[in-house]
Amino acid sequence: MCEHPARQQLLQRLALRLAALLLLGVASCRGSEFLEGDFIPAARRGQFHGQRTHWHDILGSHCPKFGVKRLVAVPLPQPVGHKVADEYKVQFSFDGDRHLTPWLSIIGKHAPSPPYVEVELVRTGNTIKSVSALVYALDQEDQRAHAPLVREFLNATHWPKHLLVHYRWRTQHEEDEEGGLLVLFSAGALVALLLGLNVARTYQDKLRAFLADVAGEQPGSGFGGAPTEKVE
Ligand SMILES: *[C@@H]1O[C@H](CO)[C@@H](O)[C@H](O)[C@H]1NC(C)=O
Protein backbone atom coordinates (compact mmCIF):
# COMPACT_ATOMS: atom_id res chain seq x y z
CA MET A 1 0.00 0.00 0.00
CA CYS A 2 1.22 3.43 -0.84
CA GLU A 3 0.80 5.95 2.01
CA HIS A 4 0.56 9.61 1.34
CA PRO A 5 2.77 11.22 4.01
CA ALA A 6 0.54 14.32 4.18
CA ARG A 7 -2.54 12.17 4.88
CA GLN A 8 -0.69 10.31 7.57
CA GLN A 9 0.37 13.58 9.14
CA LEU A 10 -3.20 14.88 9.01
CA LEU A 11 -4.50 11.79 10.74
CA GLN A 12 -1.87 12.07 13.41
CA ARG A 13 -2.85 15.66 14.06
CA LEU A 14 -6.49 14.65 14.34
CA ALA A 15 -5.59 11.84 16.71
CA LEU A 16 -3.67 14.28 18.88
CA ARG A 17 -6.68 16.59 18.91
CA LEU A 18 -8.84 13.69 20.00
CA ALA A 19 -6.40 12.90 22.80
CA ALA A 20 -6.44 16.57 23.85
CA LEU A 21 -10.26 16.53 23.92
CA LEU A 22 -10.11 13.40 26.06
CA LEU A 23 -7.79 15.13 28.51
CA LEU A 24 -10.00 18.22 28.62
CA GLY A 25 -12.98 16.00 29.34
CA VAL A 26 -11.17 14.36 32.23
CA ALA A 27 -9.96 17.72 33.55
CA SER A 28 -13.50 19.11 33.61
CA CYS A 29 -14.63 16.18 35.79
CA ARG A 30 -12.42 17.40 38.61
CA GLY A 31 -13.91 19.46 41.45
CA SER A 32 -14.43 23.21 41.40
CA GLU A 33 -11.46 25.52 41.72
CA PHE A 34 -11.27 27.74 44.80
CA LEU A 35 -9.13 30.63 45.92
CA GLU A 36 -7.81 30.96 49.46
CA GLY A 37 -10.70 31.97 51.73
CA ASP A 38 -13.50 31.20 49.22
CA PHE A 39 -16.69 29.82 50.71
CA ILE A 40 -17.22 26.12 49.99
CA PRO A 41 -20.91 25.47 49.27
CA ALA A 42 -22.21 23.05 51.90
CA ALA A 43 -25.47 21.33 52.79
CA ARG A 44 -26.75 19.12 55.59
CA ARG A 45 -29.53 16.62 56.10
CA GLY A 46 -30.77 14.79 59.16
CA GLN A 47 -31.86 11.27 59.99
CA PHE A 48 -34.10 10.46 62.96
CA HIS A 49 -37.02 8.23 63.75
CA GLY A 50 -36.25 6.12 60.67
CA GLN A 51 -36.61 9.00 58.22
CA ARG A 52 -34.34 11.40 56.42
CA THR A 53 -34.84 15.09 55.72
CA HIS A 54 -34.08 16.73 52.39
CA TRP A 55 -30.78 18.49 51.86
CA HIS A 56 -30.68 22.02 53.28
CA ASP A 57 -28.07 24.53 52.20
CA ILE A 58 -25.80 25.76 54.96
CA LEU A 59 -25.44 29.55 55.20
CA GLY A 60 -22.11 31.07 54.17
CA SER A 61 -21.35 32.01 57.76
CA HIS A 62 -21.40 28.29 58.66
CA CYS A 63 -19.65 26.99 55.54
CA PRO A 64 -15.97 26.07 55.30
CA LYS A 65 -13.62 28.60 53.73
CA PHE A 66 -10.99 27.24 51.37
CA GLY A 67 -7.73 26.64 53.24
CA VAL A 68 -8.97 28.39 56.41
CA LYS A 69 -9.34 26.65 59.79
CA ARG A 70 -12.76 27.55 61.19
CA LEU A 71 -15.11 26.76 64.06
CA VAL A 72 -18.82 27.35 63.42
CA ALA A 73 -22.11 26.55 65.18
CA VAL A 74 -24.48 25.05 62.60
CA PRO A 75 -28.15 25.52 63.60
CA LEU A 76 -30.28 22.36 63.52
CA PRO A 77 -34.03 23.07 63.41
CA GLN A 78 -36.38 20.88 65.43
CA PRO A 79 -36.96 17.72 63.40
CA VAL A 80 -40.64 17.14 62.65
CA GLY A 81 -41.91 14.17 64.65
CA HIS A 82 -38.72 13.90 66.67
CA LYS A 83 -39.20 12.23 70.05
CA VAL A 84 -37.00 13.09 73.01
CA ALA A 85 -35.46 9.62 73.10
CA ASP A 86 -34.73 9.49 69.36
CA GLU A 87 -31.31 9.29 67.86
CA TYR A 88 -30.32 12.07 65.54
CA LYS A 89 -27.74 11.69 62.80
CA VAL A 90 -26.49 14.33 60.46
CA GLN A 91 -24.70 14.18 57.12
CA PHE A 92 -22.86 17.01 55.34
CA SER A 93 -22.07 17.55 51.68
CA PHE A 94 -19.50 19.94 50.24
CA ASP A 95 -18.79 21.48 46.84
CA GLY A 96 -22.10 20.50 45.28
CA ASP A 97 -22.55 16.82 46.01
CA ARG A 98 -18.93 15.96 45.27
CA HIS A 99 -17.95 15.17 48.84
CA LEU A 100 -20.23 13.55 51.42
CA THR A 101 -19.44 12.80 55.04
CA PRO A 102 -20.72 9.57 56.57
CA TRP A 103 -23.83 9.76 58.79
CA LEU A 104 -22.69 11.24 62.09
CA SER A 105 -24.50 10.34 65.30
CA ILE A 106 -24.88 13.53 67.39
CA ILE A 107 -27.86 12.76 69.68
CA GLY A 108 -28.75 9.43 71.26
CA LYS A 109 -27.02 6.63 73.05
CA HIS A 110 -24.35 6.18 70.38
CA ALA A 111 -23.43 9.87 70.34
CA PRO A 112 -20.74 11.59 72.42
CA SER A 113 -22.36 14.19 74.67
CA PRO A 114 -22.06 17.08 74.15
CA PRO A 115 -20.72 16.44 70.65
CA TYR A 116 -18.70 18.40 68.17
CA VAL A 117 -17.86 17.45 64.61
CA GLU A 118 -14.35 17.55 63.22
CA VAL A 119 -14.35 17.86 59.43
CA GLU A 120 -11.08 17.35 57.60
CA LEU A 121 -10.97 18.70 54.06
CA VAL A 122 -8.06 17.58 51.90
CA ARG A 123 -6.97 20.01 49.23
CA THR A 124 -4.80 19.51 46.18
CA GLY A 125 -3.86 22.77 44.52
CA ASN A 126 -7.10 24.72 44.21
CA THR A 127 -9.50 21.80 44.46
CA ILE A 128 -10.93 19.67 47.24
CA LYS A 129 -9.65 16.12 46.99
CA SER A 130 -11.64 14.46 49.77
CA VAL A 131 -13.54 15.13 52.98
CA SER A 132 -13.81 13.06 56.14
CA ALA A 133 -15.62 13.71 59.42
CA LEU A 134 -15.83 12.28 62.94
CA VAL A 135 -17.83 13.15 66.06
CA TYR A 136 -16.01 13.77 69.34
CA ALA A 137 -17.06 14.77 72.84
CA LEU A 138 -16.34 18.38 73.76
CA ASP A 139 -13.74 18.55 76.51
CA GLN A 140 -14.36 20.47 79.76
CA GLU A 141 -12.52 23.57 78.63
CA ASP A 142 -14.48 23.85 75.37
CA GLN A 143 -17.74 23.15 77.23
CA ARG A 144 -17.00 26.17 79.44
CA ALA A 145 -16.09 28.28 76.40
CA HIS A 146 -19.43 27.44 74.74
CA ALA A 147 -21.58 27.09 77.87
CA PRO A 148 -24.94 28.49 76.58
CA LEU A 149 -24.71 26.43 73.42
CA VAL A 150 -23.88 23.27 75.37
CA ARG A 151 -26.72 23.89 77.83
CA GLU A 152 -29.19 24.21 74.93
CA PHE A 153 -27.79 21.15 73.22
CA LEU A 154 -28.17 18.98 76.31
CA ASN A 155 -31.70 20.26 76.98
CA ALA A 156 -33.76 17.68 75.10
CA THR A 157 -36.72 20.01 74.54
CA HIS A 158 -34.72 23.00 73.34
CA TRP A 159 -34.63 23.63 69.58
CA PRO A 160 -33.01 24.77 67.40
CA LYS A 161 -29.76 23.33 68.66
CA HIS A 162 -26.38 24.49 67.47
CA LEU A 163 -23.82 21.89 66.47
CA LEU A 164 -20.19 22.90 66.79
CA VAL A 165 -18.32 22.03 63.62
CA HIS A 166 -14.59 22.45 63.26
CA TYR A 167 -13.25 22.63 59.69
CA ARG A 168 -9.64 21.62 59.29
CA TRP A 169 -7.56 21.56 56.10
CA ARG A 170 -4.82 19.23 55.00
CA THR A 171 -2.75 19.78 51.87
CA GLN A 172 -1.92 16.84 49.70
CA HIS A 173 0.78 17.45 47.16
CA GLU A 174 0.05 16.96 43.54
CA GLU A 175 2.35 13.99 42.89
CA ASP A 176 -0.58 11.57 42.68
CA GLU A 177 -2.27 13.85 40.24
CA GLU A 178 0.86 14.15 38.13
CA GLY A 179 1.07 10.37 38.11
CA GLY A 180 -2.52 10.26 36.90
CA LEU A 181 -1.83 12.80 34.18
CA LEU A 182 1.21 10.83 33.07
CA VAL A 183 -0.99 7.78 32.59
CA LEU A 184 -3.47 9.88 30.64
CA PHE A 185 -0.76 11.38 28.45
CA SER A 186 0.62 7.90 27.78
CA ALA A 187 -2.87 6.75 26.84
CA GLY A 188 -3.21 9.75 24.56
CA ALA A 189 0.13 9.01 22.92
CA LEU A 190 -0.90 5.39 22.44
CA VAL A 191 -4.14 6.48 20.78
CA ALA A 192 -2.17 8.75 18.46
CA LEU A 193 0.28 5.99 17.66
CA LEU A 194 -2.42 3.43 16.93
CA LEU A 195 -4.35 5.84 14.77
CA GLY A 196 -1.17 6.86 12.99
CA LEU A 197 -0.19 3.29 12.18
CA ASN A 198 -2.21 0.13 11.59
CA VAL A 199 -5.71 1.45 12.12
CA ALA A 200 -5.10 4.37 9.82
CA ARG A 201 -3.64 2.07 7.20
CA THR A 202 -6.63 -0.28 7.17
CA TYR A 203 -9.54 2.09 7.56
CA GLN A 204 -7.94 5.22 6.34
CA ASP A 205 -10.83 6.71 4.42
CA LYS A 206 -13.59 5.79 6.85
CA LEU A 207 -11.51 6.97 9.75
CA ARG A 208 -10.61 10.21 8.07
CA ALA A 209 -14.26 10.95 7.43
CA PHE A 210 -15.12 10.08 11.04
CA LEU A 211 -12.35 12.20 12.51
CA ALA A 212 -13.19 15.09 10.20
CA ASP A 213 -16.75 14.77 11.46
CA VAL A 214 -15.59 14.81 15.09
CA ALA A 215 -13.32 17.78 14.51
CA GLY A 216 -16.11 19.52 12.58
CA GLU A 217 -13.77 20.42 9.77
CA GLN A 218 -13.22 19.24 6.24
CA PRO A 219 -10.19 17.06 5.72
CA GLY A 220 -7.49 18.88 3.86
CA SER A 221 -8.76 22.33 4.85
CA GLY A 222 -5.66 22.82 6.95
CA PHE A 223 -5.26 22.73 10.70
CA GLY A 224 -3.32 25.81 11.68
CA GLY A 225 -0.30 24.99 9.57
CA ALA A 226 0.03 23.53 6.12
CA PRO A 227 1.67 20.16 6.64
CA THR A 228 1.34 19.22 2.98
CA GLU A 229 3.72 21.98 1.98
CA LYS A 230 6.30 21.23 4.58
CA VAL A 231 9.57 20.05 3.07
CA GLU A 232 11.98 18.23 5.26
C1 LIG B 1 -35.12 23.56 78.19
O1 LIG B 1 -35.58 24.28 77.05
C2 LIG B 1 -36.92 24.68 77.15
C3 LIG B 1 -37.32 25.29 75.82
O2 LIG B 1 -36.41 26.29 75.40
C4 LIG B 1 -37.08 25.65 78.31
O3 LIG B 1 -38.41 26.05 78.44
C5 LIG B 1 -36.62 24.96 79.59
O4 LIG B 1 -36.64 25.87 80.67
C6 LIG B 1 -35.21 24.43 79.43
N1 LIG B 1 -34.83 23.62 80.59
C7 LIG B 1 -33.74 23.86 81.28
C8 LIG B 1 -33.51 22.95 82.42
O5 LIG B 1 -32.96 24.75 81.00
Side-chain angles (χ1 to χ4, degrees), residues 169-212:
W169 289 86
R170 188 158 63 79
T171 303
Q172 193 170 80
H173 294 290
E174 305 188 28
E175 283 155 27
D176 302 2
E177 194 177 42
E178 277 165 16
L181 282 180
L182 194 69
V183 169
L184 275 173
F185 276 120
S186 312
L190 191 68
V191 168
L193 196 72
L194 282 175
L195 288 175
L197 296 173
N198 299 340
V199 181
R201 202 157 291 156
T202 320
Y203 300 106
Q204 201 172 12
D205 285 328
K206 269 189 196 169
L207 187 73
R208 199 175 38 166
F210 168 71
L211 288 177

Side-chain angles (χ1 to χ4, degrees), residues 120-186:
E120 186 184 73
L121 300 107
V122 180
R123 60 181 282 189
T124 297
N126 289 329
T127 59
I128 301 175
K129 183 121 201 253
S130 64
V131 175
S132 59
L134 284 171
V135 190
Y136 297 97
L138 264 190
D139 62 32
Q140 291 297 328
E141 193 183 328
D142 287 325
Q143 285 192 41
R144 273 196 294 278
H146 304 279
L149 187 146
V150 167
R151 198 163 49 243
E152 285 176 3
F153 204 97
L154 296 178
N155 178 343
T157 57
H158 190 279
W159 293 92
K161 298 188 185 304
H162 288 82
L163 177 66
L164 283 174
V165 179
H166 188 218
Y167 299 118
R168 219 155 32 79
W169 289 86
R170 188 158 63 79
T171 303
Q172 193 170 80
H173 294 290
E174 305 188 28
E175 283 155 27
D176 302 2
E177 194 177 42
E178 277 165 16
L181 282 180
L182 194 69
V183 169
L184 275 173
F185 276 120
S186 312

Side-chain angles (χ1 to χ4, degrees), residues 43 45 47 72 75 86 90 95 139 154 156 179 204 211:
R45 60 175 177 170
Q47 176 180 294
V72 298
D86 275 350
V90 68
D95 188 13
D139 62 32
L154 296 178
Q204 201 172 12
L211 288 177

